[in-house]
Amino acid sequence: MASQALDVYGFELNLSPEEAQARRACESKQQKRAAKWDSYFKSGKLPPAPKLKKYCREGVPPQYRGWVWEQVSGASRLMHEHMNNYYEAMVHQGEASSPSARQVELDLPRTFPANAWVSSPEGQSALRHVLLAFSVHKPDVGYCQSMNYVAAMLLLCLDLSEERSFWVMVALIDDNGILYHDMYASDLVGTHVEMRSLETAARVWDALLNEGPKVLFRVALAVLKTNESTLLQQDNVAFDGIGSMPMARIENYRQVKQEAVEFEMKRRNARKNLDHALITSPEASKTLQVEGISGVADQVRQKYGK
């Protein structure tokens, strides 16, 4: 007989006896993982890089997830680099003049309606503030449909804190952010995934924020592998279901995307080199800034008009 329960973020779960037993086992493992994180949290310092990668892949305990996400994403650093009331100023500006305000209002009640907090007046207000603030912070992106789910997830995972959620969102999407440049453009339809539990998505984000977008591709491959037998039983899905796709078109698309990815990786590497030089050698940082970041940026602008 199925039983009902709420996950740590307030989403209802309908569990079979076997699923309930598996969940209890997971909760036991989570308590052991929490013991590993406790000393790092108290010291305010993350584990060394190899251990951090391992711990994030295992899943960060919910009580430490907000702190870890802020640290590994760079959101904490970004927040301290701006004036103290920057978020409040963006909220005020967004409420007063954001071109995205109407679309945000339309999408608020559609965002996780089964979650009690998100659908409450308090949750709707917090979500509105984060989305409008981001839309004026980065006007070339503004607000994209389905970004509301990302913001709501951040709020739930970061102790319902608007400002902390805003800065993790900035760390993800802003220039030199975690995700590939221009990944967020006219819409986010690819990120809108119905999920049984946000806990599962949060486990993926633990690794994403620490390791970068390669995690998304690995998870996508894992999903395909998990459903391999079902997919192989389908007849002509790629041809009858999708339609014709000439090989020449595929090769051309691959070439364009490959070039864009190569430029992006150069930009990221230059950024890392500059960050290192700023710490070790101010003189070297000047050279890198001129020959590294600027050079790559100019190439990207010339080729893609960005």
Side-chain angles (χ1 to χ4, degrees):
M1 182 176 180
S3 60
Q4 291 186 333
L6 291 178
D7 70 10
V8 294
Y9 300 115
F11 288 90
E12 186 175 291
L13 304 174
N14 292 310
L15 305 173
S16 67
E18 294 78 13
E19 290 171 331
Q21 183 177 358
R23 184 170 179 80
R24 286 192 293 271
C26 288
E27 290 172 348
S28 177
K29 291 181 180 178
Q30 183 173 279
Q31 290 176 0
K32 294 179 181 179
R33 289 197 297 270
K36 296 179 181 179
W37 280 101
D38 187 59
S39 60
Y40 293 107
F41 177 75
K42 289 179 179 177
S43 70
K45 297 181 180 179
L46 292 171
K51 187 174 288 187
L52 176 63
K53 182 177 181 179
K54 179 176 182 290
Y55 283 5
C56 285
R57 288 187 174 188
E58 289 176 347
V60 179
Q63 62 266 43
Y64 300 130
R65 181 164 279 142
W67 172 68
V68 173
W69 283 14
E70 286 179 289
Q71 299 302 314
V72 298
S73 69
S76 180
R77 173 181 55 80
L78 288 171
M79 181 168 64
H80 288 98
E81 287 176 352
H82 290 72
M83 62 183 188
N84 291 335
N85 62 341
Y86 182 83
Y87 171 69
E88 289 78 5
M90 291 298 99
V91 172
H92 179 75
Q93 184 178 339
E95 290 180 324
S97 60
S98 174
S100 306
R102 181 176 179 276
Q103 188 59 57
V104 168
E105 288 300 320
L106 290 174
D107 288 345
L108 288 177
R110 305 169 184 170
T111 310
F112 298 139
N115 184 282
W117 183 81
V118 175
S119 58
S120 71
E122 178 188 0
Q124 296 281 283
S125 176
L127 185 57
R128 178 186 298 109
H129 290 165
V130 172
L131 293 172
L132 290 179
F134 186 84
S135 72
V136 293
H137 165 78
K138 191 165 178 61
D140 55 324
V141 172
Y143 169 74
C144 310
Q145 284 186 295
S146 291
M147 191 183 280
N148 49 319
Y149 292 93
V150 175
M153 176 176 173
L154 291 172
L155 284 163
L156 291 169
C157 292
L158 278 87
D159 307 317
L160 313 183
S161 169
E162 293 182 25
E163 185 171 17
R164 295 168 66 197
S165 300
F166 168 80
W167 284 114
V168 174
M169 201 163 189
V170 170
L172 275 168
I173 306 172
D174 215 353
D175 295 336
N176 299 314
I178 292 171
L179 298 178
Y180 289 130
H181 190 59
D182 281 350
M183 186 174 180
Y184 284 63
S186 59
D187 63 70
L188 292 176
V189 66
T191 68
H192 180 188
V193 179
E194 290 295 333
M195 60 186 107
R196 181 175 183 181
S197 169
L198 187 141
E199 289 177 325
T200 303
R203 283 285 304 277
V204 175
W205 280 52
D206 290 341
L208 168 66
L209 291 170
N210 183 49
E211 299 180 48
K214 70 177 184 181
V215 171
L216 299 179
F217 293 98
R218 292 188 178 189
V219 171
L221 290 173
V223 171
L224 291 174
K225 182 63 177 177
T226 301
N227 295 278
E228 180 179 16
S229 59
T230 301
L231 292 170
L232 291 175
Q233 294 173 8
Q234 306 304 311
D235 293 329
N236 295 324
V237 172
F239 303 103
D240 297 337
I242 298 177
S244 62
M245 178 68 74
M247 195 62 198
R249 186 185 304 174
I250 294 175
E251 292 294 343
N252 181 62
Y253 186 77
R254 282 176 176 170
Q255 182 178 356
V256 171
K257 292 301 178 182
Q258 180 63 31
E259 291 175 355
V261 169
E262 288 176 357
F263 275 116
E264 173 64 18
M265 295 310 296
K266 287 181 181 180
R267 185 182 69 84
R268 284 171 172 268
N269 288 333
R271 180 72 256 176
K272 288 181 180 179
N273 291 337
L274 178 58
D275 287 342
H276 178 72
L278 287 170
I279 297 173
T280 59
S281 172
E283 289 301 320
S285 72
K286 294 178 181 178
T287 302
L288 281 167
Q289 191 165 19
V290 173
E291 298 179 0
I293 299 296
S294 299
V296 173
D298 288 343
Q299 291 180 62
V300 173
R301 280 193 291 270
Q302 290 172 9
K303 191 167 188 68
Y304 298 103
K306 300 294 185 183

